[in-house]
Amino acid sequence: MKKIINRLKMLYAFTFATSKQKFYPQEVVLELTNACNLECIMCPHKKMKRKIGLLDSNLFKKIIDEISEHSELLYLHGTGESLIHPQLSKLCLYAHQKKLRTCLSTNGMLLTEELLSCGLDYLIIALDGGTAETYEKIRVGGNFNKLINNIKNILKVKSSTKICLQMIYMPENSHEVAAFKNLFTKEEQKKIFQFRFKPFSNTYAEKVVQKNLERPCFWPWNMMFVCCDGTVSLCCIDYEREICLGDLKEQSVFEIWNAPQLDTIRKHHQQKNRHQIELCSTCSIPEKYKFNLSFTLASAFLSAYQVKILTPIYERISSLKT
């Protein structure tokens, strides 16, 4: 019930542009590490100057203890490959035991069966090509055959974890959509919960001021991004942590999420002045993505986890309209 009440408070604050309503983030991203074992062409990781590190396990538990009764969905990845963190399975199990839904996105190079025994709800595996040639041009440093073998191995494991195979749809791989699915037998396909063809956004790569910024972004209300050193950045697009909202080693989630700094950012968005925030002025995600009235209304009746697993369906329907 507390989660539903928190969700309604968040939506009220977003819809009516009020700072009087205090609430927790509906979704929390905990970047377990910003280290990565690949150099993907669409990712800003190779440009990132933040110090490489691992999220402290005790800090992770402190955050989970605070948000578990209020937040609905926990992402166990950020600007890095979370399977590098040696305590990943234990941390995921801790969140699961605290009744938090969990989602992890991985490049799959380090994928093992252990990941399916820690209560993980939703596993996204990045497979950006139907052939080794295409995949390895996009996921530089990756091994296509190893990844396919890793995926086929975990599909043999009986688990409640929903598996989503994801292709970021780009000019480099758009011709391999059919080949992407045909890498797996019919029996294996039955064990894959979703094949997702995610629209590519170049917001990471392009520091270009956008025009006609009319739609407020939903993330400053519903999603907190925690960097692996415990600091809080504005969102996942802020990979360099240009805007630091606070430090969870010294502050609480609730304190940071309801502080004047974030309230000012929300006001800029609601008043259609987000061009005054340098980072937001170069971002087109609110216009291109899902932050419209129908999405907001759906968020009132569906949990963050339900919205997450329905997103690929929404994307397919949207692509048919364009």
Side-chain angles (χ1 to χ4, degrees), residues 113-158:
E113 298 172 8
E114 180 187 3
L115 192 59
L116 300 185
S117 61
C118 59
L120 179 66
D121 290 293
Y122 192 64
L123 173 63
I124 302 170
I125 305 172
L127 178 55
D128 293 307
T131 64
E133 181 182 8
T134 298
Y135 171 83
E136 291 173 7
K137 283 181 179 177
I138 295 171
R139 296 275 171 178
V140 180
N143 184 309
F144 179 77
N145 292 328
K146 179 181 179 181
L147 175 58
I148 298 301
N149 187 59
N150 287 350
I151 295 171
K152 287 179 178 287
N153 282 337
I154 67 165
L155 290 176
K156 297 173 184 176
V157 179
K158 187 176 181 180

Side-chain angles (χ1 to χ4, degrees), residues 74-130:
L74 177 70
Y75 293 92
L76 296 167
H77 57 270
T79 312
E81 173 50 56
S82 294
L83 289 176
I84 290 173
H85 198 296
Q87 300 296 317
L88 169 60
S89 294
K90 291 181 180 178
L91 297 178
C92 182
L93 181 60
Y94 187 84
H96 173 71
Q97 291 171 340
K98 291 288 185 174
K99 310 299 183 185
L100 268 171
R101 291 284 197 176
T102 50
C103 173
L104 171 67
S105 181
T106 174
N107 61 43
M109 286 293 103
L110 304 174
L111 194 60
T112 64
E113 298 172 8
E114 180 187 3
L115 192 59
L116 300 185
S117 61
C118 59
L120 179 66
D121 290 293
Y122 192 64
L123 173 63
I124 302 170
I125 305 172
L127 178 55
D128 293 307

Side-chain angles (χ1 to χ4, degrees), residues 216-319:
C217 182
F218 193 45
W219 286 342
W221 282 264
N222 95 305
M223 183 186 291
M224 172 181 276
F225 188 98
V226 183
C227 300
C228 60
D229 62 356
T231 57
V232 177
S233 66
L234 181 56
C235 67
C236 60
I237 300 300
D238 187 13
Y239 62 88
E240 203 64 272
R241 199 193 55 224
E242 295 177 22
I243 299 176
C244 183
L245 300 175
D247 190 338
L248 286 168
K249 296 188 296 295
E250 302 172 359
Q251 300 165 277
S252 70
V253 170
F254 188 82
E255 181 182 356
I256 293 173
W257 205 240
N258 295 282
Q261 182 183 4
L262 189 50
D263 183 45
T264 299
I265 291 171
R266 289 170 180 152
K267 285 179 180 177
H268 282 312
H269 276 258
Q270 287 289 13
Q271 295 169 0
K272 300 181 181 181
N273 290 326
R274 77 173 201 260
H275 59 273
Q276 294 189 23
I277 307 165
E278 183 177 357
L279 184 74
C280 299
S281 71
T282 65
C283 182
S284 61
I285 283 182
E287 279 69 33
K288 292 180 179 178
Y289 203 39
K290 58 188 181 182
F291 307 135
N292 52 30
L293 180 60
S294 60
F295 173 81
T296 305
L297 290 174
S299 298
F301 299 98
L302 300 174
S303 70
Y305 179 68
Q306 290 171 319
V307 171
K308 180 65 182 176
I309 63 177
L310 288 172
T311 295
I313 299 173
Y314 176 89
E315 289 168 343
R316 285 200 296 271
I317 294 172
S318 297
S319 67

